Amino acid sequence: VYLFEKGEMRAMDWLEYSRLICKTASALQKRGVKKESRVAIHSENRFEWVLLDLASLMLGATVIPIYNSVLN
């Protein structure tokens, strides 16, 4: 997995990526996201979108993608 950060591309191994997904899922859970919740993600195609998607699915939530092209 590659991450564009601070103007540079850096490699991220799968263990680090997994930990980041778990950390994001924990943050979502603290904000009330749980099984059968609905999470809307309005974003361009980017790393954070995938991160939120996987973290939400990990909690059993339904993800509703809202792409910029739909709103323009």
Side-chain angles (χ1 to χ4, degrees):
V1 176
Y2 290 93
L3 174 64
F4 191 73
E5 186 174 65
K6 298 178 185 174
E8 294 184 17
M9 187 77 75
R10 77 170 182 88
M12 177 184 295
D13 65 26
W14 289 106
L15 182 60
E16 182 182 2
Y17 191 50
S18 173
R19 287 181 179 150
L20 191 54
I21 293 167
C22 290
K23 186 175 178 181
T24 304
S26 177
L28 289 172
Q29 197 170 38
K30 287 178 186 173
R31 287 166 177 76
V33 176
K34 57 188 177 208
K35 187 174 183 172
E36 298 183 12
S37 291
R38 292 177 187 93
V39 176
I41 302 174
H42 174 220
S43 177
E44 295 177 350
N45 188 14
R46 52 186 298 144
F47 172 80
E48 292 84 358
W49 189 97
V50 177
L51 183 63
L52 282 170
D53 185 41
L54 293 174
S56 299
L57 293 172
M58 186 175 172
L59 295 174
T62 299
V63 176
I64 302 155
I66 304 171
Y67 296 97
N68 281 341
S69 60
V70 173
L71 299 177
N72 292 330

